[in-house]
Structures are given as structure tokens and as C-alpha cells.
mmCIF file of all heavy atoms in Angstrom:
data_model
loop_
_atom_site.group_PDB
_atom_site.id
_atom_site.type_symbol
_atom_site.label_atom_id
_atom_site.label_comp_id
_atom_site.label_asym_id
_atom_site.label_seq_id
_atom_site.Cartn_x
_atom_site.Cartn_y
_atom_site.Cartn_z
ATOM 1 N N GLU I 256 -2.147 -116.135 12.472
ATOM 2 C CA GLU I 256 -3.181 -115.201 12.065
ATOM 3 C C GLU I 256 -3.914 -115.652 10.809
ATOM 4 O O GLU I 256 -4.783 -114.946 10.307
ATOM 5 C CB GLU I 256 -2.571 -113.812 11.827
ATOM 6 C CG GLU I 256 -1.964 -113.191 13.076
ATOM 7 C CD GLU I 256 -1.380 -111.812 12.825
ATOM 8 O OE1 GLU I 256 -1.385 -111.376 11.651
ATOM 9 O OE2 GLU I 256 -0.908 -111.182 13.789
ATOM 10 N N GLY I 257 -3.571 -116.809 10.313
ATOM 11 C CA GLY I 257 -4.180 -117.315 9.089
ATOM 12 C C GLY I 257 -5.487 -118.037 9.340
ATOM 13 O O GLY I 257 -6.076 -117.970 10.426
ATOM 14 N N LYS I 258 -5.945 -118.730 8.327
ATOM 15 C CA LYS I 258 -7.192 -119.488 8.384
ATOM 16 C C LYS I 258 -7.147 -120.515 9.511
ATOM 17 O O LYS I 258 -6.132 -121.179 9.727
ATOM 18 C CB LYS I 258 -7.418 -120.187 7.041
ATOM 19 C CG LYS I 258 -8.596 -121.121 6.983
ATOM 20 C CD LYS I 258 -9.908 -120.390 6.936
ATOM 21 C CE LYS I 258 -11.061 -121.353 6.686
ATOM 22 N NZ LYS I 258 -12.371 -120.671 6.670
ATOM 23 N N ARG I 259 -8.254 -120.646 10.238
ATOM 24 C CA ARG I 259 -8.409 -121.666 11.273
ATOM 25 C C ARG I 259 -9.688 -122.458 11.021
ATOM 26 O O ARG I 259 -10.700 -121.885 10.622
ATOM 27 C CB ARG I 259 -8.482 -121.042 12.666
ATOM 28 C CG ARG I 259 -7.178 -120.445 13.188
ATOM 29 C CD ARG I 259 -7.418 -119.756 14.527
ATOM 30 N NE ARG I 259 -6.210 -119.140 15.046
ATOM 31 C CZ ARG I 259 -5.501 -119.601 16.073
ATOM 32 N NH1 ARG I 259 -5.919 -120.675 16.713
ATOM 33 N NH2 ARG I 259 -4.402 -118.978 16.477
ATOM 34 N N PHE I 260 -9.603 -123.748 11.274
ATOM 35 C CA PHE I 260 -10.789 -124.597 11.240
ATOM 36 C C PHE I 260 -11.081 -125.050 12.663
ATOM 37 O O PHE I 260 -10.212 -125.610 13.327
ATOM 38 C CB PHE I 260 -10.561 -125.818 10.348
ATOM 39 C CG PHE I 260 -10.381 -125.492 8.893
ATOM 40 C CD1 PHE I 260 -9.109 -125.410 8.343
ATOM 41 C CD2 PHE I 260 -11.481 -125.277 8.074
ATOM 42 C CE1 PHE I 260 -8.937 -125.112 6.990
ATOM 43 C CE2 PHE I 260 -11.325 -124.987 6.731
ATOM 44 C CZ PHE I 260 -10.046 -124.891 6.186
ATOM 45 N N ASN I 261 -12.286 -124.824 13.134
ATOM 46 C CA ASN I 261 -12.677 -125.233 14.475
ATOM 47 C C ASN I 261 -13.443 -126.546 14.445
ATOM 48 O O ASN I 261 -14.411 -126.745 15.193
ATOM 49 C CB ASN I 261 -13.513 -124.128 15.132
ATOM 50 C CG ASN I 261 -12.694 -122.882 15.390
ATOM 51 O OD1 ASN I 261 -11.544 -122.967 15.820
ATOM 52 N ND2 ASN I 261 -13.270 -121.734 15.108
ATOM 53 N N GLU I 262 -13.005 -127.428 13.575
ATOM 54 C CA GLU I 262 -13.584 -128.761 13.440
ATOM 55 C C GLU I 262 -12.550 -129.642 12.766
ATOM 56 O O GLU I 262 -11.565 -129.156 12.202
ATOM 57 C CB GLU I 262 -14.845 -128.704 12.574
ATOM 58 C CG GLU I 262 -14.578 -128.195 11.168
ATOM 59 C CD GLU I 262 -15.843 -128.090 10.323
ATOM 60 O OE1 GLU I 262 -16.887 -128.581 10.767
ATOM 61 O OE2 GLU I 262 -15.770 -127.530 9.212
ATOM 62 N N SER I 263 -12.747 -130.945 12.854
ATOM 63 C CA SER I 263 -11.846 -131.855 12.153
ATOM 64 C C SER I 263 -11.941 -131.606 10.655
ATOM 65 O O SER I 263 -12.976 -131.167 10.146
ATOM 66 C CB SER I 263 -12.186 -133.308 12.490
ATOM 67 O OG SER I 263 -13.540 -133.594 12.188
ATOM 68 N N THR I 264 -10.871 -131.869 9.950
ATOM 69 C CA THR I 264 -10.779 -131.496 8.540
ATOM 70 C C THR I 264 -10.411 -132.691 7.662
ATOM 71 O O THR I 264 -9.891 -133.700 8.136
ATOM 72 C CB THR I 264 -9.720 -130.403 8.324
ATOM 73 O OG1 THR I 264 -8.422 -130.925 8.674
ATOM 74 C CG2 THR I 264 -10.014 -129.166 9.155
ATOM 75 N N LYS I 265 -10.685 -132.511 6.378
ATOM 76 C CA LYS I 265 -10.157 -133.403 5.350
ATOM 77 C C LYS I 265 -9.246 -132.561 4.472
ATOM 78 O O LYS I 265 -9.648 -131.507 3.972
ATOM 79 C CB LYS I 265 -11.261 -134.022 4.506
ATOM 80 C CG LYS I 265 -10.734 -134.909 3.367
ATOM 81 C CD LYS I 265 -11.848 -135.448 2.489
ATOM 82 C CE LYS I 265 -12.577 -136.564 3.176
ATOM 83 N NZ LYS I 265 -13.553 -137.236 2.262
ATOM 84 N N GLY I 266 -8.001 -133.012 4.311
ATOM 85 C CA GLY I 266 -7.049 -132.260 3.507
ATOM 86 C C GLY I 266 -6.331 -133.136 2.501
ATOM 87 O O GLY I 266 -6.225 -134.358 2.684
ATOM 88 N N TRP I 267 -5.890 -132.503 1.437
ATOM 89 C CA TRP I 267 -5.078 -133.178 0.425
ATOM 90 C C TRP I 267 -3.709 -132.536 0.389
ATOM 91 O O TRP I 267 -3.584 -131.298 0.380
ATOM 92 C CB TRP I 267 -5.687 -133.027 -0.965
ATOM 93 C CG TRP I 267 -6.990 -133.714 -1.208
ATOM 94 C CD1 TRP I 267 -7.623 -134.630 -0.412
ATOM 95 C CD2 TRP I 267 -7.831 -133.543 -2.366
ATOM 96 N NE1 TRP I 267 -8.788 -135.047 -0.990
ATOM 97 C CE2 TRP I 267 -8.956 -134.396 -2.183
ATOM 98 C CE3 TRP I 267 -7.748 -132.769 -3.509
ATOM 99 C CZ2 TRP I 267 -9.981 -134.476 -3.122
ATOM 100 C CZ3 TRP I 267 -8.764 -132.841 -4.449
ATOM 101 C CH2 TRP I 267 -9.868 -133.691 -4.255
ATOM 102 N N VAL I 268 -2.664 -133.365 0.348
ATOM 103 C CA VAL I 268 -1.326 -132.879 0.017
ATOM 104 C C VAL I 268 -0.930 -133.558 -1.280
ATOM 105 O O VAL I 268 -1.045 -134.784 -1.411
ATOM 106 C CB VAL I 268 -0.308 -133.140 1.148
ATOM 107 C CG1 VAL I 268 -0.548 -132.215 2.321
ATOM 108 C CG2 VAL I 268 -0.343 -134.581 1.624
ATOM 109 N N VAL I 269 -0.481 -132.762 -2.228
ATOM 110 C CA VAL I 269 -0.341 -133.252 -3.601
ATOM 111 C C VAL I 269 1.034 -132.904 -4.152
ATOM 112 O O VAL I 269 1.448 -131.735 -4.147
ATOM 113 C CB VAL I 269 -1.427 -132.626 -4.512
ATOM 114 C CG1 VAL I 269 -1.392 -133.270 -5.892
ATOM 115 C CG2 VAL I 269 -2.820 -132.741 -3.897
ATOM 116 N N GLY I 270 1.743 -133.911 -4.637
ATOM 117 C CA GLY I 270 3.029 -133.706 -5.282
ATOM 118 C C GLY I 270 2.973 -134.048 -6.762
ATOM 119 O O GLY I 270 1.950 -134.521 -7.270
ATOM 120 N N LYS I 271 4.085 -133.855 -7.447
ATOM 121 C CA LYS I 271 4.121 -134.126 -8.889
ATOM 122 C C LYS I 271 3.966 -135.608 -9.177
ATOM 123 O O LYS I 271 3.301 -136.000 -10.132
ATOM 124 C CB LYS I 271 5.434 -133.613 -9.490
ATOM 125 C CG LYS I 271 5.561 -132.101 -9.472
ATOM 126 C CD LYS I 271 6.757 -131.625 -10.285
ATOM 127 C CE LYS I 271 6.489 -131.766 -11.767
ATOM 128 N NZ LYS I 271 7.533 -131.120 -12.589
ATOM 129 N N THR I 272 4.604 -136.442 -8.369
ATOM 130 C CA THR I 272 4.517 -137.893 -8.542
ATOM 131 C C THR I 272 4.246 -138.521 -7.181
ATOM 132 O O THR I 272 4.386 -137.873 -6.135
ATOM 133 C CB THR I 272 5.822 -138.479 -9.109
ATOM 134 O OG1 THR I 272 6.855 -138.325 -8.121
ATOM 135 C CG2 THR I 272 6.235 -137.770 -10.399
ATOM 136 N N HIS I 273 3.870 -139.791 -7.172
ATOM 137 C CA HIS I 273 3.689 -140.491 -5.902
ATOM 138 C C HIS I 273 4.995 -140.513 -5.112
ATOM 139 O O HIS I 273 4.987 -140.411 -3.880
ATOM 140 C CB HIS I 273 3.212 -141.924 -6.147
ATOM 141 C CG HIS I 273 1.856 -142.008 -6.777
ATOM 142 N ND1 HIS I 273 0.768 -141.316 -6.298
ATOM 143 C CD2 HIS I 273 1.408 -142.712 -7.855
ATOM 144 C CE1 HIS I 273 -0.292 -141.589 -7.038
ATOM 145 N NE2 HIS I 273 0.066 -142.426 -7.999
ATOM 146 N N GLU I 274 6.109 -140.643 -5.820
ATOM 147 C CA GLU I 274 7.401 -140.737 -5.155
ATOM 148 C C GLU I 274 7.786 -139.407 -4.490
ATOM 149 O O GLU I 274 8.270 -139.402 -3.353
ATOM 150 C CB GLU I 274 8.489 -141.160 -6.145
ATOM 151 C CG GLU I 274 8.423 -142.621 -6.576
ATOM 152 C CD GLU I 274 7.303 -142.896 -7.584
ATOM 153 O OE1 GLU I 274 6.733 -141.934 -8.151
ATOM 154 O OE2 GLU I 274 6.994 -144.085 -7.804
ATOM 155 N N THR I 275 7.578 -138.280 -5.183
ATOM 156 C CA THR I 275 7.922 -137.000 -4.561
ATOM 157 C C THR I 275 6.969 -136.667 -3.410
ATOM 158 O O THR I 275 7.380 -136.076 -2.409
ATOM 159 C CB THR I 275 7.916 -135.854 -5.589
ATOM 160 O OG1 THR I 275 6.620 -135.756 -6.198
ATOM 161 C CG2 THR I 275 8.968 -136.075 -6.663
ATOM 162 N N THR I 276 5.713 -137.074 -3.547
ATOM 163 C CA THR I 276 4.777 -136.891 -2.436
ATOM 164 C C THR I 276 5.274 -137.649 -1.215
ATOM 165 O O THR I 276 5.260 -137.130 -0.092
ATOM 166 C CB THR I 276 3.370 -137.377 -2.827
ATOM 167 O OG1 THR I 276 2.917 -136.640 -3.962
ATOM 168 C CG2 THR I 276 2.387 -137.171 -1.680
ATOM 169 N N LYS I 277 5.721 -138.877 -1.429
ATOM 170 C CA LYS I 277 6.219 -139.706 -0.327
ATOM 171 C C LYS I 277 7.498 -139.127 0.271
ATOM 172 O O LYS I 277 7.608 -138.976 1.496
ATOM 173 C CB LYS I 277 6.479 -141.133 -0.822
ATOM 174 C CG LYS I 277 7.082 -142.055 0.232
ATOM 175 C CD LYS I 277 7.409 -143.426 -0.347
ATOM 176 C CE LYS I 277 8.638 -143.385 -1.246
ATOM 177 N NZ LYS I 277 9.075 -144.733 -1.676
ATOM 178 N N GLU I 278 8.438 -138.802 -0.579
ATOM 179 C CA GLU I 278 9.757 -138.393 -0.089
ATOM 180 C C GLU I 278 9.746 -137.024 0.569
ATOM 181 O O GLU I 278 10.523 -136.770 1.500
ATOM 182 C CB GLU I 278 10.764 -138.411 -1.245
ATOM 183 C CG GLU I 278 11.022 -139.771 -1.841
ATOM 184 C CD GLU I 278 11.655 -140.740 -0.858
ATOM 185 O OE1 GLU I 278 12.344 -140.275 0.078
ATOM 186 O OE2 GLU I 278 11.461 -141.958 -1.019
ATOM 187 N N ILE I 279 8.881 -136.126 0.117
ATOM 188 C CA ILE I 279 8.899 -134.753 0.636
ATOM 189 C C ILE I 279 7.743 -134.500 1.595
ATOM 190 O O ILE I 279 7.941 -134.300 2.800
ATOM 191 C CB ILE I 279 8.862 -133.745 -0.531
ATOM 192 C CG1 ILE I 279 10.073 -133.942 -1.454
ATOM 193 C CG2 ILE I 279 8.829 -132.304 0.009
ATOM 194 C CD1 ILE I 279 10.015 -133.156 -2.750
ATOM 195 N N LEU I 280 6.525 -134.527 1.099
ATOM 196 C CA LEU I 280 5.375 -134.107 1.897
ATOM 197 C C LEU I 280 5.061 -135.100 3.011
ATOM 198 O O LEU I 280 4.839 -134.699 4.161
ATOM 199 C CB LEU I 280 4.162 -133.916 0.981
ATOM 200 C CG LEU I 280 4.389 -132.984 -0.214
ATOM 201 C CD1 LEU I 280 3.169 -132.974 -1.119
ATOM 202 C CD2 LEU I 280 4.728 -131.580 0.241
ATOM 203 N N GLN I 281 5.032 -136.379 2.681
ATOM 204 C CA GLN I 281 4.776 -137.398 3.696
ATOM 205 C C GLN I 281 5.833 -137.355 4.789
ATOM 206 O O GLN I 281 5.523 -137.460 5.985
ATOM 207 C CB GLN I 281 4.744 -138.772 3.042
ATOM 208 C CG GLN I 281 4.553 -139.931 4.016
ATOM 209 C CD GLN I 281 4.604 -141.279 3.323
ATOM 210 O OE1 GLN I 281 4.006 -141.467 2.269
ATOM 211 N NE2 GLN I 281 5.337 -142.219 3.893
ATOM 212 N N THR I 282 7.096 -137.174 4.400
ATOM 213 C CA THR I 282 8.179 -137.146 5.380
ATOM 214 C C THR I 282 8.063 -135.944 6.303
ATOM 215 O O THR I 282 8.224 -136.062 7.527
ATOM 216 C CB THR I 282 9.535 -137.150 4.669
ATOM 217 O OG1 THR I 282 9.653 -138.344 3.883
ATOM 218 C CG2 THR I 282 10.683 -137.091 5.669
ATOM 219 N N TYR I 283 7.776 -134.771 5.738
ATOM 220 C CA TYR I 283 7.622 -133.588 6.586
ATOM 221 C C TYR I 283 6.484 -133.763 7.588
ATOM 222 O O TYR I 283 6.607 -133.412 8.759
ATOM 223 C CB TYR I 283 7.353 -132.352 5.734
ATOM 224 C CG TYR I 283 8.549 -131.796 5.006
ATOM 225 C CD1 TYR I 283 8.386 -131.024 3.851
ATOM 226 C CD2 TYR I 283 9.846 -132.023 5.448
ATOM 227 C CE1 TYR I 283 9.478 -130.497 3.177
ATOM 228 C CE2 TYR I 283 10.940 -131.515 4.776
ATOM 229 C CZ TYR I 283 10.750 -130.750 3.641
ATOM 230 O OH TYR I 283 11.830 -130.226 2.968
ATOM 231 N N LEU I 284 5.359 -134.284 7.127
ATOM 232 C CA LEU I 284 4.174 -134.350 7.984
ATOM 233 C C LEU I 284 4.211 -135.518 8.965
ATOM 234 O O LEU I 284 3.845 -135.361 10.140
ATOM 235 C CB LEU I 284 2.915 -134.445 7.130
ATOM 236 C CG LEU I 284 2.509 -133.150 6.424
ATOM 237 C CD1 LEU I 284 1.442 -133.423 5.373
ATOM 238 C CD2 LEU I 284 2.007 -132.133 7.433
ATOM 239 N N LEU I 285 4.631 -136.688 8.498
ATOM 240 C CA LEU I 285 4.538 -137.893 9.321
ATOM 241 C C LEU I 285 5.877 -138.408 9.820
ATOM 242 O O LEU I 285 5.910 -139.228 10.744
ATOM 243 C CB LEU I 285 3.835 -139.007 8.535
ATOM 244 C CG LEU I 285 2.436 -138.674 8.005
ATOM 245 C CD1 LEU I 285 1.872 -139.871 7.238
ATOM 246 C CD2 LEU I 285 1.496 -138.282 9.133
ATOM 247 N N GLY I 286 6.969 -137.962 9.203
ATOM 248 C CA GLY I 286 8.285 -138.429 9.602
ATOM 249 C C GLY I 286 8.797 -139.535 8.700
ATOM 250 O O GLY I 286 8.227 -139.838 7.651
ATOM 251 N N SER I 287 9.869 -140.146 9.130
ATOM 252 C CA SER I 287 10.474 -141.237 8.375
ATOM 253 C C SER I 287 9.474 -142.350 8.137
ATOM 254 O O SER I 287 8.676 -142.695 9.017
ATOM 255 C CB SER I 287 11.679 -141.791 9.141
ATOM 256 O OG SER I 287 12.082 -143.037 8.603
ATOM 257 N N ARG I 288 9.480 -142.918 6.950
ATOM 258 C CA ARG I 288 8.557 -144.020 6.658
ATOM 259 C C ARG I 288 8.856 -145.235 7.527
ATOM 260 O O ARG I 288 8.038 -146.147 7.626
ATOM 261 C CB ARG I 288 8.610 -144.375 5.178
ATOM 262 C CG ARG I 288 9.977 -144.728 4.631
ATOM 263 C CD ARG I 288 9.895 -144.812 3.111
ATOM 264 N NE ARG I 288 11.145 -145.162 2.476
ATOM 265 C CZ ARG I 288 12.068 -144.271 2.099
ATOM 266 N NH1 ARG I 288 11.870 -142.985 2.338
ATOM 267 N NH2 ARG I 288 13.176 -144.656 1.496
ATOM 268 N N TYR I 289 10.030 -145.258 8.158
ATOM 269 C CA TYR I 289 10.374 -146.343 9.070
ATOM 270 C C TYR I 289 10.004 -146.009 10.514
ATOM 271 O O TYR I 289 10.120 -146.851 11.394
ATOM 272 C CB TYR I 289 11.863 -146.655 8.983
ATOM 273 C CG TYR I 289 12.312 -146.967 7.581
ATOM 274 C CD1 TYR I 289 13.180 -146.109 6.916
ATOM 275 C CD2 TYR I 289 11.852 -148.105 6.913
ATOM 276 C CE1 TYR I 289 13.586 -146.394 5.617
ATOM 277 C CE2 TYR I 289 12.250 -148.381 5.614
ATOM 278 C CZ TYR I 289 13.125 -147.516 4.976
ATOM 279 O OH TYR I 289 13.512 -147.772 3.682
ATOM 280 N N ASP I 290 9.570 -144.761 10.742
ATOM 281 C CA ASP I 290 9.221 -144.341 12.098
ATOM 282 C C ASP I 290 8.143 -143.260 12.017
ATOM 283 O O ASP I 290 8.389 -142.083 12.296
ATOM 284 C CB ASP I 290 10.461 -143.827 12.830
ATOM 285 C CG ASP I 290 10.223 -143.647 14.326
ATOM 286 O OD1 ASP I 290 9.153 -144.071 14.808
ATOM 287 O OD2 ASP I 290 11.100 -143.088 15.007
ATOM 288 N N ILE I 291 6.936 -143.644 11.608
ATOM 289 C CA ILE I 291 5.827 -142.706 11.471
ATOM 290 C C ILE I 291 5.554 -142.042 12.827
ATOM 291 O O ILE I 291 5.484 -142.705 13.857
ATOM 292 C CB ILE I 291 4.564 -143.430 10.973
ATOM 293 C CG1 ILE I 291 4.780 -143.978 9.552
ATOM 294 C CG2 ILE I 291 3.349 -142.505 11.016
ATOM 295 C CD1 ILE I 291 4.956 -142.917 8.498
ATOM 296 N N GLY I 292 5.410 -140.723 12.790
ATOM 297 C CA GLY I 292 5.173 -139.971 14.012
ATOM 298 C C GLY I 292 6.351 -139.129 14.432
ATOM 299 O O GLY I 292 6.343 -138.508 15.496
ATOM 300 N N THR I 293 7.378 -139.063 13.583
ATOM 301 C CA THR I 293 8.554 -138.244 13.881
ATOM 302 C C THR I 293 8.582 -136.978 13.027
ATOM 303 O O THR I 293 9.595 -136.301 12.948
ATOM 304 C CB THR I 293 9.851 -139.054 13.657
ATOM 305 O OG1 THR I 293 9.844 -139.595 12.322
ATOM 306 C CG2 THR I 293 9.951 -140.202 14.654
ATOM 307 N N GLY I 294 7.441 -136.680 12.381
ATOM 308 C CA GLY I 294 7.342 -135.462 11.586
ATOM 309 C C GLY I 294 6.633 -134.359 12.347
ATOM 310 O O GLY I 294 6.668 -134.301 13.588
ATOM 311 N N MET I 295 5.964 -133.473 11.638
ATOM 312 C CA MET I 295 5.310 -132.329 12.256
ATOM 313 C C MET I 295 4.084 -132.714 13.079
ATOM 314 O O MET I 295 3.697 -131.995 13.993
ATOM 315 C CB MET I 295 4.924 -131.324 11.172
ATOM 316 C CG MET I 295 6.119 -130.709 10.474
ATOM 317 S SD MET I 295 5.621 -129.627 9.128
ATOM 318 C CE MET I 295 7.247 -129.035 8.591
ATOM 319 N N ILE I 296 3.446 -133.818 12.730
ATOM 320 C CA ILE I 296 2.312 -134.305 13.513
ATOM 321 C C ILE I 296 2.831 -135.363 14.477
ATOM 322 O O ILE I 296 3.387 -136.380 14.063
ATOM 323 C CB ILE I 296 1.218 -134.886 12.600
ATOM 324 C CG1 ILE I 296 0.708 -133.795 11.647
ATOM 325 C CG2 ILE I 296 0.074 -135.456 13.431
ATOM 326 C CD1 ILE I 296 -0.271 -134.291 10.617
ATOM 327 N N PRO I 297 2.683 -135.139 15.788
ATOM 328 C CA PRO I 297 3.278 -136.070 16.760
ATOM 329 C C PRO I 297 2.645 -137.453 16.722
ATOM 330 O O PRO I 297 1.463 -137.614 16.392
ATOM 331 C CB PRO I 297 3.022 -135.375 18.104
ATOM 332 C CG PRO I 297 1.908 -134.420 17.857
ATOM 333 C CD PRO I 297 2.012 -134.008 16.417
ATOM 334 N N LYS I 298 3.456 -138.437 17.065
ATOM 335 C CA LYS I 298 3.020 -139.833 17.020
ATOM 336 C C LYS I 298 1.770 -140.071 17.855
ATOM 337 O O LYS I 298 0.867 -140.820 17.449
ATOM 338 C CB LYS I 298 4.151 -140.736 17.511
ATOM 339 C CG LYS I 298 3.830 -142.214 17.494
ATOM 340 C CD LYS I 298 5.031 -143.056 17.887
ATOM 341 C CE LYS I 298 6.103 -143.011 16.832
ATOM 342 N NZ LYS I 298 7.218 -143.963 17.097
#
């Protein structure tokens, strides 16, 4: 029921450091850095 975009988007995900962005946000969204596509966005 939240906000929807009916077009392709540009988004930022931002952490405190590059390392925390990689370890937390990147992992949740894209999956393991050794297997991109195993996160919330399918390969």
C-alpha cells in the first residue's frame, strides 16, 4: 500500500561506511558478493 513508481527508477542505498554498505545493504539486495543475484533482486 506504499509508494509505487510506474517507471524505472534511480535509487541510492547509503550506509555509514563503504564497508557497512557492502556487508549489509549490498548483501540484502544483491546477495553474496561471490554469487550476485542471490539477494532480494533475482539474478
Side-chain angles (χ1 to χ4, degrees):
E256 297 181 356
K258 174 74 172 178
R259 289 175 182 253
F260 294 98
N261 293 318
E262 60 182 350
S263 56
T264 64
K265 177 183 284 188
W267 293 349
V268 287
V269 187
K271 293 190 73 171
T272 67
H273 295 310
E274 287 76 13
T275 59
T276 301
K277 176 184 74 173
E278 296 296 333
I279 300 171
L280 307 175
Q281 177 183 315
T282 299
Y283 285 156
L284 286 167
L285 303 180
S287 166
R288 56 190 181 271
Y289 305 113
D290 192 8
I291 295 294
T293 54
M295 295 176 178
I296 300 174
K298 181 175 291 187

